[in-house]
Amino acid sequence: MDPIKKAVWCIESRFASDISLDEIAAVSGVSRFHLSRAFGVATGHSIMRYVRARRLSEAARQLADGAPDILSVALDWGYGSHEAFTRAFREQFGITPEQLRAVRDLSSLQLVEPLPMHSETTITLPEPRFVKGKPILVAGFGGRFSYENTQGIPSLWQRIAPHFGHIPDQVGYIAYGVSYNCDDHGNFDYIAGAEVSEFTDLPAEFERTRVPEQNYAVFEHRGHVTGIKQTYEAIFRDWLPKSGRKPADGPILERMDERFDGATGNGIVEIWLALKD
C-alpha cells in the first residue's frame, strides 16, 4: 500500500479528532516533508488543508440537517470556539454556519469529498538515471503557489521568454523551473528562469535561488508539458515507494534543453528529484 493511500486511510478514519501531519506521516511510513510533497503532487491538495476541508464539509452536512447548536458542531470538528469555526467556515464556503443552517441547502457549496484510495497512475515510468548535480544559481520570474493553485506558473514562462538569452550573466541556454521552500501546508516557491554565474546585475524584479550540490534521480517527461502532473504522480506514488529511496528536503528541478519546444509545449522535460545519500 503506497504512502498516499495510507495517508488517505489515516485521515478518513481519524479526521474528526485532532490529527497532526507528524501522525499522518508516521502511519504512512515516510517523512513529513516527503508526505507533504507527494500528497500534493498526487492529489492536488495540500494534506492539512484537505484535513481541514473534510472537517468543514462534514460540519456543513450537519448544519444543513438542522443541527440545533452551532458551538457543539464546532467542538465536534476540532474548533475551540464559535468564532474560530465561523471564520474557517466562511473562508472555506463563503457563507456563515448560521446562513447555511437557515437555508439547509448544500447545492451552492463546494464540499470536499473523500479522496479515493484505489486510484492508480496510468503511465509507465521508465527508470531514471542517477547523477550528482553541481551547485547552480537560478534567476528568473517567480511566485508562491500551492498544490491547489498552480495556474500562475505558465505565465511565469511567458514573462521570462523575451529575456531568455539576455539575462545578465546567463550561463548556457537551458531553461530551469525550480520548486523550492515547500512547507507543511503545501505552499512552495517556483522560479522560471535560467542558470546565472552571479546575482549582482540582475533586474530588481527577478527572483533568485541557490540550488545546492545534490544527488538526483532524473526522469524524462515526454509529450506535451500539460501532462507533466501524471509524470510527477508516477514518481511520487509509484517509483519512490518501490525504489526504497528517500527524497531530500531540497528543490525539484525541471530542466528543458533543445529537446523541448517552448513555442508548442511539446518535447522532453527532465525532472530532477533530489535524493538523500
Side-chain angles (χ1 to χ4, degrees):
M1 192 173 185
D2 75 49
I4 309 305
K5 293 177 184 176
K6 290 178 181 177
V8 173
W9 176 86
C10 178
I11 293 166
E12 290 303 321
S13 62
R14 296 171 55 188
F15 71 84
S17 62
D18 187 15
I19 186 171
S20 70
L21 177 58
D22 285 328
E23 291 174 289
I24 301 169
V27 169
S28 303
V30 295
S31 71
R32 56 189 287 154
F33 176 83
H34 179 175
L35 184 62
S36 293
R37 182 170 272 176
F39 193 92
V41 167
T43 70
H45 297 272
S46 72
I47 191 163
M48 296 313 292
R49 284 201 190 103
Y50 172 72
V51 172
R52 176 177 179 269
R54 287 289 296 122
R55 286 175 177 157
L56 291 169
S57 294
E58 295 306 316
R61 287 191 170 94
Q62 283 185 263
L63 293 167
D65 286 340
D69 183 357
I70 291 176
L71 179 58
S72 294
V73 174
L75 295 173
D76 285 346
W77 295 104
Y79 290 88
S81 69
H82 186 292
E83 292 76 15
F85 178 60
T86 297
R87 185 166 56 250
F89 197 90
R90 185 189 295 115
E91 183 180 310
Q92 183 75 25
F93 299 120
I95 63 173
T96 66
E98 288 82 1
Q99 288 171 319
L100 176 60
R101 190 176 61 172
V103 298
R104 298 195 181 189
D105 181 7
L106 293 170
S107 62
S108 64
L109 272 59
Q110 195 166 6
L111 300 180
V112 174
E113 304 295 347
L115 290 168
M117 285 181 277
H118 59 271
S119 60
E120 299 289 346
T121 50
T122 58
I123 66 171
T124 301
L125 192 68
E127 277 299 301
R129 71 181 193 273
F130 298 94
V131 302
K132 191 169 190 71
K134 65 177 184 178
I136 61 172
L137 309 179
V138 176
F141 290 112
R144 188 76 172 160
F145 299 93
S146 69
Y147 293 119
E148 293 91 347
N149 180 19
T150 59
Q151 292 94 323
I153 290 178
S155 68
L156 298 179
W157 288 106
Q158 182 171 266
R159 288 177 63 198
I160 199 64
H163 299 270
F164 204 78
H166 311 288
I167 299 171
D169 301 305
Q170 180 172 334
V171 177
Y173 291 91
I174 293 173
Y176 286 92
V178 185
S179 301
Y180 63 107
N181 287 344
C182 179
D183 66 21
D184 292 346
H185 303 291
N187 303 304
F188 62 94
D189 291 317
Y190 186 93
I191 288 179
E195 181 182 357
V196 296
S197 59
E198 57 181 297
F199 293 146
T200 309
D201 298 321
L202 291 171
E205 67 269 21
F206 271 49
E207 299 290 337
R208 56 211 77 188
T209 190
R210 297 177 181 271
V211 179
E213 180 179 279
Q214 287 273 191
N215 291 319
Y216 291 96
V218 181
F219 302 86
E220 290 187 353
H221 169 74
R222 294 175 176 266
H224 199 272
V225 70
T226 53
I228 200 168
K229 183 180 183 297
Q230 280 191 309
T231 300
Y232 272 112
E233 186 174 340
I235 293 168
F236 281 98
R237 188 189 290 273
D238 298 332
W239 184 84
L240 266 174
K242 293 174 184 175
S243 72
R245 293 178 178 265
K246 303 295 183 184
D249 295 1
I252 292 180
L253 309 182
E254 295 167 356
R255 185 178 183 275
M256 288 147 277
D257 56 23
E258 69 279 355
R259 296 172 296 170
F260 180 75
D261 184 349
T264 65
N266 284 304
I268 295 175
V269 178
E270 291 184 347
I271 297 172
W272 290 46
L273 176 68
L275 298 174
K276 292 183 178 178
D277 295 336

